């Protein structure tokens, strides 16, 4: 496997295992510099990316390490539930406001929309705090270069524009239902 | 048995100490460490074994690492021994000698002095 392909797979595997950004950067730089010296094939020298990533997790001290599978699930399921609930309330509330019809039992449409917006927006903000982004950064210890550059602006805009568009469609449908 | 390919469980036991001993002589970098071990007849230590072992040594505080500019190429990660590392190595060297002598006496009882 070519070195850059190996590095990309290793980066992904380490991210999936919640290895902290600085440690990922060290590991990638080690692989890079070792392969540059020895001229070996990365998989031959370090093993398949996923296996080496598991090995890296093993070297992290017990008290720092969390079982990455459990951690990933424990974190993502509640987040998804809350974001989903928030999305439902927001979409229903907006449709209710637009159509003038009741939607969420026991809750006026405006309250539903505000509550949904707060939940959903809260999750988004929490997941995207600067501190969280900083600890995820993977900076090459040799050059300071970012090995995992930021998501491009067009991608970030699309991710936001897509649900917003759906919500707007919901509002239009609600207005049409008056 | 091909003496250039030692059993994995033996290497796992002795590798950290051997790495520490080489680093104690001179601070050096990963690839050079592997080369030294190979030259000593311990076979090939692959990157996938070498760096995790060095990382554990660093996490235990017995070595420290720093990236240095390579000549014309990407930087090299140099490892040097810490004071704790020197003490640890001294203690383990004594222990290792005793350990291997005792194991040797079981393996070669005819050689053991009575």
């Amino acid at each position: 496997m070519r070195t850059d392909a190996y590095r990309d797979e290793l980066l992904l595997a380490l991210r999936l295992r919640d290895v902290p950004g600085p440690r990922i950067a060290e590991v990638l730089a080690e692989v890079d510099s070792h392969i540059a010296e020895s001229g070996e094939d990365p998989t031959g020298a370090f093993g398949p990316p996923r296996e080496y990533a598991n090995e890296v997790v093993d070297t992290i001290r017990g008290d720092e390490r969390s079982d990455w599978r459990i951690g990933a699930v424990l974190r993502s399921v509640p987040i998804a539930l809350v974001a989903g609930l928030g999305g439902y309330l927001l979409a229903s509330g907006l449709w209710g406001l637009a159509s003038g019809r009741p939607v969420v039992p026991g809750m006026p449409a405006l309250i539903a929309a505000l509550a949904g917006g707060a939940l959903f927006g809260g999750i988004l903000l929490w997941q995207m705090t600067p501190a969280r982004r900083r600890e995820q950064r993977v900076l090459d210890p040799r050059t300071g270069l970012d090995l995992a550059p930021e998501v491009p602006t067009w991608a970030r805009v699309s991710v936001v524009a897509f649900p917003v568009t759906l919500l707007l469609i919901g509002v239009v449908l609600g207005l049409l239902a008056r | 048995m091909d003496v250039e390919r030692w059993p994995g469980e033996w290497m796992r036991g002795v590798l950290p100490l051997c790495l520490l001993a080489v680093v104690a002589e001179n601070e050096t970098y990963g690839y050079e460490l592997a080369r030294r071990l190979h030259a000593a007849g311990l076979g090939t230590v692959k990157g996938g074994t070498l760096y995790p072992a060095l990382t554990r040594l660093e996490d235990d505080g017995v070595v420290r690492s720093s990236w240095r500019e390579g000549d014309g190429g990407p930087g090299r990660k140099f490892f040097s021994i810490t004071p704790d590392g020197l003490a640890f190595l001294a203690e383990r060297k004594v222990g290792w000698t005793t350990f291997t002598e005792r194991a040797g006496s079981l393996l070669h009882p005819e050689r053991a002095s009575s």
Side-chain angles (χ1 to χ4, degrees):
Chain A
M1 192 189 292
R2 290 187 42 185
T3 306
D4 44 4
Y6 187 89
R7 195 174 53 233
D8 288 344
E9 282 201 30
L10 183 57
L11 170 59
L12 182 60
L14 291 168
R15 275 269 200 243
L16 287 174
R17 286 157 180 74
D18 280 335
V19 175
R23 181 75 72 143
I24 296 182
E26 284 289 325
V27 169
L28 292 178
E30 282 168 4
V31 169
D32 206 60
S33 69
H34 190 85
I35 297 302
E37 300 266 4
S38 69
E40 297 170 277
D41 169 61
T43 308
F46 289 89
R50 271 186 242 173
E51 284 182 28
Y52 190 52
N54 287 338
E55 184 66 44
V56 170
V57 171
D58 280 346
T59 65
I60 297 174
R61 317 192 95 126
D63 49 357
E64 278 172 37
R65 186 208 318 183
S66 51
D67 185 320
W68 62 274
R69 284 181 210 84
I70 292 178
V73 170
L74 285 182
R75 256 196 314 283
S76 60
V77 169
I79 288 173
L81 283 176
V82 174
L85 178 65
Y88 160 72
L89 286 174
L90 180 59
S92 304
L94 284 177
W95 190 89
L97 285 173
S99 68
R101 301 193 192 192
V103 269
V104 181
M107 199 185 287
L110 180 61
I111 302 294
L114 290 174
L119 277 177
F120 191 72
I123 294 282
L124 272 183
L125 284 175
W126 175 48
Q127 289 294 298
M128 294 173 69
T129 59
R132 179 173 296 271
R133 306 237 309 264
R134 262 199 301 279
E135 84 200 14
Q136 304 272 30
R137 281 170 70 186
V138 179
L139 297 176
D140 192 321
R142 302 166 293 175
T143 60
L145 221 75
D146 196 334
L147 297 173
E150 290 280 5
V151 177
T153 310
W154 65 262
R156 281 197 272 172
V157 167
S158 312
V159 164
V160 174
F162 181 62
V164 167
T165 306
L166 289 178
L167 287 172
L168 286 175
I169 290 174
V171 169
V172 168
L173 290 175
L175 289 170
L176 290 175
R178 273 190 182 266
Chain B
M1 188 174 67
D2 174 7
V3 296
E4 283 307 296
R5 300 186 61 183
W6 300 101
E9 60 267 29
W10 296 2
M11 285 302 294
R12 265 191 294 283
V14 84
L15 183 64
L17 266 190
C18 289
L19 290 173
L20 201 54
V22 175
V23 168
E25 281 179 32
N26 275 110
E27 59 175 9
T28 185
Y29 59 99
Y31 184 64
E32 176 62 18
L33 275 165
R35 204 196 58 75
R36 285 290 309 274
L37 262 53
H38 187 265
L42 290 177
T44 307
V45 180
K46 296 206 166 287
T49 311
L50 179 69
Y51 291 95
L54 287 166
T55 302
R56 284 193 179 94
L57 289 174
E58 187 168 22
D59 286 346
D60 289 344
V62 294
V63 300
R64 76 171 74 85
S65 68
S66 61
W67 285 93
R68 311 256 177 91
E69 288 289 308
D71 4 282
R76 289 171 173 160
K77 188 169 184 177
F78 275 80
F79 293 88
S80 58
I81 197 162
T82 64
D84 280 354
L86 283 167
F88 180 77
L89 180 62
E91 179 199 315
R92 287 290 165 111
K93 272 161 80 167
V94 172
W96 181 264
T97 308
T98 310
F99 181 70
T100 49
E101 280 172 358
R102 292 181 185 178
S105 71
L106 284 175
L107 294 171
H108 292 285
E110 68 280 6
R111 290 192 197 164
S113 50
S114 47

